[in-house]
Amino acid sequence: MPKRRNYTRELITKRDTAYEAHRYHHGDAQDRPPMLRVMAGFGPGIPVAYEPRSKSDPLPWVEYNGDTGTANLRYSGRECWTAPVEQRNEIIARQTIARSVYRRLAAAGIACEGWSDSAGTHARYTFADNSEVTWSGTDCYGAEVSNHHTIGEHGSLGAHWMQQEQPPQAEELPEFATGNYATDSAALVAWMIALADRHGRRHQQHATTQDIDAVLAWQKATGGFIATSTDCARYRYYPVDGRATPAGSPGENWLAAYELPAHLTHPTVQLSEQEAREVATPVFFQQPAGTVR
């Protein structure tokens, strides 16, 4: 009796072999063998992620909604196939790891900007208090730092937040690395919203029109405060602690904004909150907790 085929193992082996051949190819770049991605569904297909729920899961391949970051359908290995990574179309573009994160953050009043450097492609956001966060992903091979590979090739998400203007120059470097896109992306979104609630939302000059529209909708629906560049030039922002809350309100999601004299508003001037208190009276802004839609 012939041995039963393991289609999932064949797909993973074929994909990994293509990756190795692509990575270690020597010679003319035009002759480099393409990487492969695993596809499923109708028509040209949608990239799917290998996320088995158990060791013997009969449907280990997951199709994600590129807008919401939620799992739509599951497939067996027999229902999937491989396709060259160079095949670009609208369906694949809508499946990038960044898409649903951008959408969810914008719906919570946070419009990220795209950014790239020699290390890869990233997303960037500057908060009202001038602290900054960047985040990006690695693919399932751990080789590509990018926001452009598909959810089906998700490996992990990582971020870097730094308080640049006010000492101490604190930083956070969380990793969201379960390998499950729904879990990792939800954790990144929740962490980013918590940062925005503490450090203040701010208009981003180079965010997409679609994300800006979503942010303005959040602002209208919640009454949340989104600082402009002019606001940030005049004010220094500090999270409100339990000893300085306005009118006895709980300190959660409040910012204290100190309007400074002109000679103290230059970006190179670094003031502690105690120093800001000595020259200005705070104005308080409430940051409603973001709602993920």
Side-chain angles (χ1 to χ4, degrees):
M1 184 176 180
K3 186 176 179 180
R4 186 176 180 179
R5 289 178 62 180
N6 187 320
Y7 290 94
T8 286
R9 185 178 301 162
E10 291 177 15
L11 289 166
I12 293 174
T13 298
K14 187 181 293 186
R15 184 177 71 176
D16 291 351
T17 300
Y19 169 74
E20 293 294 322
H22 178 86
R23 182 178 180 185
Y24 295 110
H25 173 74
H26 298 287
D28 192 338
Q30 292 182 342
D31 296 330
R32 175 177 288 184
M35 294 169 60
L36 299 177
R37 59 169 51 107
V38 181
M39 311 285 286
F42 299 100
I46 290 178
V48 288
Y50 178 61
E51 293 178 355
R53 295 163 292 188
S54 66
K55 191 173 182 179
S56 57
D57 188 353
L59 301 171
W61 297 95
V62 185
E63 174 191 319
Y64 273 91
N65 183 311
D67 290 336
T68 65
T70 56
N72 281 347
L73 298 170
R74 284 187 166 269
Y75 299 92
S76 69
R78 189 166 190 161
E79 297 172 292
C80 302
W81 66 91
T82 58
V85 168
E86 282 77 9
Q87 283 189 347
R88 303 289 182 181
N89 58 40
E90 186 180 356
I91 294 175
I92 292 176
R94 283 169 32 210
Q95 284 283 311
T96 57
I97 63 159
R99 184 181 176 91
S100 76
V101 177
Y102 269 76
R103 293 290 175 85
R104 283 175 278 173
L105 288 175
I110 305 166
C112 292
E113 299 178 342
W115 176 59
S116 63
D117 59 17
S118 59
T121 61
H122 311 263
R124 178 168 59 183
Y125 189 84
T126 304
F127 296 98
D129 65 356
N130 288 318
S131 65
E132 185 174 273
V133 65
T134 58
W135 59 268
S136 189
T138 60
D139 62 15
C140 56
Y141 307 106
E144 183 185 17
V145 177
S146 172
N147 282 347
H148 294 157
H149 55 267
T150 69
I151 294 173
E153 291 144 9
H154 165 71
S156 67
L157 293 166
H160 181 201
W161 170 81
M162 178 176 285
Q163 179 64 277
Q164 300 184 77
E165 296 296 335
Q166 299 134 20
Q169 276 137 2
E171 62 179 1
E172 295 180 25
L173 288 160
E175 287 284 333
F176 309 99
T178 68
N180 179 286
Y181 178 75
T183 300
D184 292 344
S185 62
L188 172 62
V189 169
W191 178 75
M192 285 280 292
I193 291 173
L195 282 180
D197 288 343
R198 292 201 305 271
H199 302 285
R201 289 162 171 79
R202 178 176 180 171
H203 289 283
Q204 308 295 300
Q205 183 179 358
H206 300 295
T208 67
T209 300
Q210 187 176 41
D211 287 341
I212 291 172
D213 288 344
V215 166
L216 294 176
W218 173 89
Q219 186 179 34
K220 182 178 180 180
T222 65
F225 177 74
I226 300 178
T228 65
S229 296
T230 302
D231 294 326
C232 294
R234 293 191 299 119
Y235 290 96
R236 287 292 186 271
Y237 294 84
Y238 303 89
V240 173
D241 59 31
R243 295 166 297 174
T245 54
S249 301
E252 186 178 359
N253 298 333
W254 284 85
L255 289 176
Y258 294 84
E259 188 171 7
L260 302 179
H263 68 283
L264 295 178
T265 59
H266 193 277
T268 60
V269 176
Q270 297 182 344
L271 296 178
S272 67
E273 184 174 6
Q274 182 58 44
E275 290 170 329
R277 285 178 178 175
E278 292 174 1
V279 296
T281 301
V283 175
F284 294 99
F285 296 107
Q286 189 173 23
Q287 289 287 120
T291 301
V292 180
R293 301 177 192 173

